[in-house]
């Protein structure tokens, strides 16, 4: 396991970087990649970001970041807990990762060098320390990328993973000059009218199980089409079911192309370890927030989850 | 205007305190009062809190805080921008306030001593500095009260009033040992099933005006009764309308007994100054978050607001 200093040294000694993000990219994997990419470029190195797509609301991260043409030499993954979470890029990069920087304690990436710190609320915390160690000036775009990762992975400092260190780091980043108010508005306080309609429909179709201690919500491709909701807008739904009074386990099912459901599990308490629960279905993540994928129809997938929850509780 | 040091000196020299909170008490006025009450008591002084009610979800602040019987000598208001915001206590205390501690730049309280700092995101920030100046140990209940005020007045560090100082102060408070995860869950991540039903109904009845730049939502006493929603549960609704894409002015109308509507105005932008807007109806507050009261039926009050918005935009 590398230290932050050693990871910085590794980056300093290499060039022509490809920075890998996880599938269904979120603010932390993208923020990590953009911050690191900009830092490496400011050292005169070549770096590009590999994603399976850039959701519309993260488009601001890409502003002013130009394409670079070079032959990749060094592969770095950020916020990727397992090679298979690279999605359609998994086959290409499996076994080729030179440095894995992650904050998932359950990390299973087989990389030549690993820097995994499960105590960091967001992977961007680790990236920030690496960039400081590199001696790179934290410009506004770098600060924005880091703030995006930290704020999204902590629910804007609301989740229990938020530490005094997280808050102080955010304070430093804001002081350096990041657009925190703009980013917060975009990430946490903007809803399209289509999304409002979707939430109304979700509220009408909540399934409770395990004596009301578990709530399950879902979206289907039909619902999305009918209400005009883009896939990007489905982010953030996972916090809905666990907010319901008396609910310890909140499950969100999102239908994807190909007859599969992407499942997010959020737990408030000691009742269920979300990472263990999702591992049964080949997924993983954190103790209180994890994910997996289940094949089948809505009804089949839902019954599978209900049975698993009732067994686990 | 007193400094923090002078306010602390004033408190040290006096005794038998009544701490006044504003009507429809929120986390910041209650957190300020509880933190200051506990700090004064730990100096061996008598202190009690005067409120127009303690909403259920703030009940934890009162745990272990015993009633004290004494003749009041010193009146201190916390987070009260105007005597009339004392509600049913206004007549009793008007002109009798010895020290007013507030963070509303628009403060109009006629107190013998004033400490108003409009740069503080929450009044609890000022209270924290006063308690430090008093040399009182920040116990867990004091830390919890301060954290409650800071987190609720910043939308858990989401609103644009959040400063690096706010985040560092929260970090210190968490380090001292406050139950931030518990408080965040209670304040920001708990919804009763009745409230879910209410939100569904609110989503069905949104009024847009000023070419979609303003959205108005409402609750009525009938809706509350039908859906089984308590008044306490109506807190937090005010953030809904301004979240809608394209909406710069979000207005929330809550029917109260006696044919009046309590109106909350939230603005995202330079389009309307919420404090000025509410001042037209005898209310006030901050530039981006203010309130007022309007008499009349739902339809009358709504039309009054639409006309005022369309004039102001």
């Amino acid at each position: 396991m590398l230290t932050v200093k050693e990871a910085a040294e590794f980056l300093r000694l290499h060039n022509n970087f490809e920075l890998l993000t996880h599938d269904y990219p979120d603010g932390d994997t993208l923020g990590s990649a953009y911050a690191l990419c900009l830092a490496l470029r400011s050292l005169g190195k070549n770096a590009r970001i590999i994603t399976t797509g850039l959701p519309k609301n993260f488009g601001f991260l890409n502003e002013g970041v130009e394409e670079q043409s070079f032959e990749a030499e060094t592969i770095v993954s950020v916020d990727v807990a397992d090679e298979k979470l690279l999605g359609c890029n998994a086959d290409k990069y499996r076994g080729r990762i030179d440095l894995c920087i992650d904050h998932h304690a359950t990390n299973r990436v087989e990389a030549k060098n690993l820097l995994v710190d499960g105590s960091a609320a967001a992977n961007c915390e680790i990236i920030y320390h690496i960039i400081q160690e590199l001696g790179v000036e934290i410009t506004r775009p770098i600060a924005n990328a880091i703030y995006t990762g930290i704020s999204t992975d902590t629910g804007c400092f609301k989740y229990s993973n938020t530490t005094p260190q997280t808050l102080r780091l955010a304070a430093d980043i804001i002081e350096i000059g990041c657009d925190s108010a703009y980013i917060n508005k975009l990430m946490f306080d903007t809803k399209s009218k289509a999304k409002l309609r979707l939430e109304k429909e979700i509220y009408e179709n909540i399934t409770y199980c395990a004596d009301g201690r578990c709530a399950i919500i879902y979206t289907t491709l039909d619902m999305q089409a009918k209400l005009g909701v883009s896939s990007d807008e489905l982010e953030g739904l996972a916090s809905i079911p666990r907010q319901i009074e008396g609910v310890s386990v909140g499950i969100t099912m999102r239908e994807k192309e190909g007859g599969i459901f992407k499942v997010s599990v959020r737990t408030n308490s000691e009742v269920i370890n979300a990472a263990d629960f999702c591992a049964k279905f080949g997924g993983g993540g954190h103790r209180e927030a994890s994910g997996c994928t289940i094949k089948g129809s809505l009804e089949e997938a839902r019954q599978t989850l209900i049975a698993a929850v009732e067994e686990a509780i």
Side-chain angles (χ1 to χ4, degrees), chain A:
Chain A
M1 185 73 69
L2 299 190
T3 62
V4 164
K5 209 182 173 82
E6 288 164 345
E9 190 58 20
F10 174 92
L11 294 169
R12 210 192 306 274
L13 292 173
H14 290 76
N15 200 352
N16 298 315
F17 292 93
E18 281 191 331
L19 307 177
L20 309 185
T21 58
H22 65 69
D23 203 8
Y24 306 112
D26 63 9
D28 197 25
T29 197
L30 291 169
S32 294
Y34 276 92
L36 190 54
C37 180
L38 293 169
L40 291 168
R41 287 186 180 186
S42 87
L43 290 171
K45 296 177 186 292
N46 292 322
R48 73 167 73 92
I49 295 161
I50 308 295
T51 70
T52 57
L54 184 66
K56 198 180 75 177
N57 59 332
F58 294 114
F60 72 96
L61 292 171
N62 203 42
E63 277 168 27
V65 180
E66 290 177 14
E67 300 259 323
Q68 281 191 338
S69 176
F70 59 89
E71 183 106 12
E73 283 175 0
T74 317
I75 313 295
V76 179
S77 68
V78 287
D79 196 40
V80 177
D82 191 311
E83 278 103 333
K84 71 181 174 211
L85 299 176
L86 296 170
C88 59
N89 296 315
D91 287 343
K92 179 170 175 195
Y93 290 101
R94 199 186 305 275
R96 291 181 50 211
I97 298 173
D98 297 296
L99 171 61
C100 162
I101 305 171
D102 190 27
H103 74 124
H104 296 86
T106 57
N107 186 287
R108 283 187 292 235
V109 173
E110 299 204 4
K112 298 189 189 75
N113 296 281
L114 274 169
L115 168 49
V116 178
D117 177 0
S119 76
N123 197 56
C124 273
E125 290 189 27
I126 307 171
I127 298 292
Y128 177 70
H129 295 307
I130 292 173
I131 292 176
Q132 282 191 308
E133 189 64 41
L134 285 170
V136 168
E137 186 201 352
I138 310 275
T139 59
R140 181 176 291 259
I142 292 178
N144 282 343
I146 289 169
Y147 185 82
T148 299
I150 292 174
S151 62
T152 53
D153 253 31
T154 59
C156 211
F157 314 107
K158 194 171 66 179
Y159 302 152
S160 58
N161 59 349
T162 307
T163 65
Q165 287 69 41
T166 315
L167 292 164
R168 290 195 184 109
L169 201 157
D172 292 347
I173 284 286
I174 292 173
E175 211 150 56
I176 287 167
C178 85
D179 303 302
S180 54
Y182 168 81
I183 294 168
N184 290 346
K185 171 82 182 120
L186 196 64
M187 297 293 135
F188 308 109
D189 264 344
T190 303
K191 253 180 216 178
S192 68
K193 288 172 189 170
K195 184 155 183 186
L196 271 183
R197 289 192 295 268
L198 179 72
E199 288 193 3
K200 189 165 80 67
E201 188 135 336
I202 286 171
Y203 287 175
E204 280 165 5
N205 293 292
I206 301 173
T207 306
Y208 295 97
C209 66
D211 296 325
R213 283 182 292 169
C214 172
I216 303 177
I217 64 170
Y218 66 84
T219 62
T220 63
L221 295 173
D222 276 356
M223 277 162 73
Q224 276 184 251
K226 186 183 79 180
L227 301 171
V229 181
S230 70
S231 292
D232 294 358
E233 290 178 306
L234 300 183
E235 295 305 325
L237 294 178
S239 62
I240 290 177
R242 69 157 191 177
Q243 288 180 347
I244 303 167
E245 207 164 27
V247 170
S248 305
V249 182
I251 298 183
T252 303
M253 303 169 58
R254 284 158 45 180
E255 189 186 6
K256 295 276 165 186
E257 299 291 345
I260 61 163
F261 279 87
K262 182 169 186 278
V263 177
S264 300
V265 178
R266 299 286 182 273
T267 58
N268 302 321
S269 67
E270 309 291 307
V271 177
I272 280 187
N273 179 318
D276 292 348
F277 182 85
C278 288
K280 284 183 211 162
F281 301 102
H286 305 283
R287 222 172 57 89
E288 300 202 333
S290 288
C292 61
T293 298
I294 294 185
K295 259 190 178 291
S297 70
L298 171 64
E299 216 27 58
E300 286 162 359
R302 181 159 53 179
Q303 290 307 327
T304 301
L305 287 164
I306 291 174
V309 167
E310 299 203 326
E311 194 196 313
I313 279 193

